[in-house]
Amino acid sequence: MVVLLSDGSRVWLNADSKLTYPEQFVTDERKVTLEGEAYFEVKSNPDNPFYVTAGGIQIRVTGTCFNVLAYPTDSEVVTTLDEGEISIGRYAKNTTFYTMHPGQTAVYSKSENTCKVLTDEYYKDASGWRDGRLIFRNTSLESVLKVLSRQFDVSFKIENDKARSFTYNLACKSNDLGNALKMIQSITPVSYTHLTLP
């Protein structure tokens, strides 16, 4: 789903995501709130900064392209910058803001209230979902299934605790659950059973 904001900025929303924004930006600041995952293409306006609040952090933007992963149930908020420059920090008074450059990813831990900015050679993977791809790099089975659960609105239960330690490097289509599960099976010795509610 693509949302066109009144200033000409565009926001792509991933599965199970919500963006709160005004019909018109009427002050000298453009502010939106995100729950979930979104890709932002912000119209440049240095005199009118754009702010995204998500999962306890605030992102200050003048004009740029970036991905924000901020589902309420996740322990971290992950922001990846494709183009331009953004500043990121906790949503609190007197907080320190970190400046990010293209190719960097910021990981904010909700429990520890810490933010780390890292150079990420695979930074383009973060927004692969916009092109219909789900990309996992050294990702645990639990985390892979969490993404698939959101994407396809299904539930998973891991019966074998040993399987939780399995990790995956794979790319699959975001509209084909069967293919994703077959790829998981081809990498590790797991099997799955379909259960339907009465």
Side-chain angles (χ1 to χ4, degrees):
M1 176 184 176
V2 183
V3 177
L4 183 63
L5 301 178
S6 62
D7 65 339
S9 297
R10 291 192 296 173
V11 185
W12 285 258
L13 291 176
N14 202 350
D16 198 22
S17 299
K18 182 173 85 172
L19 186 73
T20 305
Y21 58 95
E23 258 185 59
Q24 295 285 331
F25 294 114
V26 292
T27 65
D28 59 355
E29 292 177 349
R30 301 171 284 167
K31 292 184 175 180
V32 301
T33 303
L34 171 69
E35 280 184 23
E37 184 170 22
Y39 186 85
F40 292 84
E41 203 173 81
V42 175
K43 206 78 165 171
S44 180
N45 187 344
D47 299 327
N48 245 355
F50 190 100
Y51 291 93
V52 180
T53 301
I57 63 161
Q58 189 169 66
I59 302 161
R60 185 181 186 275
V61 186
T62 50
T64 195
C65 300
F66 59 101
N67 195 80
V68 181
L69 177 61
Y71 285 98
T73 53
D74 288 353
S75 60
E76 298 174 334
V77 178
V78 181
T79 306
T80 304
L81 181 60
D82 282 355
E83 296 174 23
E85 186 179 283
I86 59 178
S87 300
I88 187 167
R90 285 177 47 220
Y91 187 60
K93 286 185 179 179
N94 304 319
T95 193
T96 302
F97 276 80
Y98 301 91
T99 300
M100 290 178 62
H101 302 286
Q104 290 186 323
T105 293
V107 181
Y108 168 69
S109 167
K110 294 178 184 177
S111 60
E112 296 174 12
N113 278 335
T114 57
C115 186
K116 293 178 184 173
V117 178
L118 313 162
T119 299
D120 182 2
E121 64 177 306
Y122 302 115
Y123 72 98
K124 289 286 187 184
D125 290 357
S127 56
W129 59 269
R130 280 197 316 142
D131 303 317
R133 293 177 301 128
L134 299 175
I135 302 168
F136 303 98
R137 292 192 188 273
N138 201 29
T139 306
S140 71
L141 176 61
E142 209 159 17
S143 297
V144 170
L145 294 181
K146 186 188 281 189
V147 171
L148 296 180
S149 178
R150 284 181 189 137
Q151 194 69 32
F152 297 100
D153 195 22
V154 295
S155 297
F156 294 96
K157 183 179 179 186
I158 301 173
E159 296 285 351
N160 186 334
D161 280 341
K162 286 182 181 177
R164 293 179 193 277
S165 65
F166 294 159
T167 57
Y168 300 87
N169 289 297
L170 64 93
C172 57
K173 294 177 182 175
S174 63
N175 63 353
D176 190 343
L177 176 59
N179 177 253
L181 293 175
K182 280 179 187 171
M183 291 181 78
I184 289 171
Q185 280 187 303
S186 72
I187 296 169
T188 50
V190 296
S191 59
Y192 61 92
T193 307
H194 296 279
L195 295 176
T196 52
L197 295 174

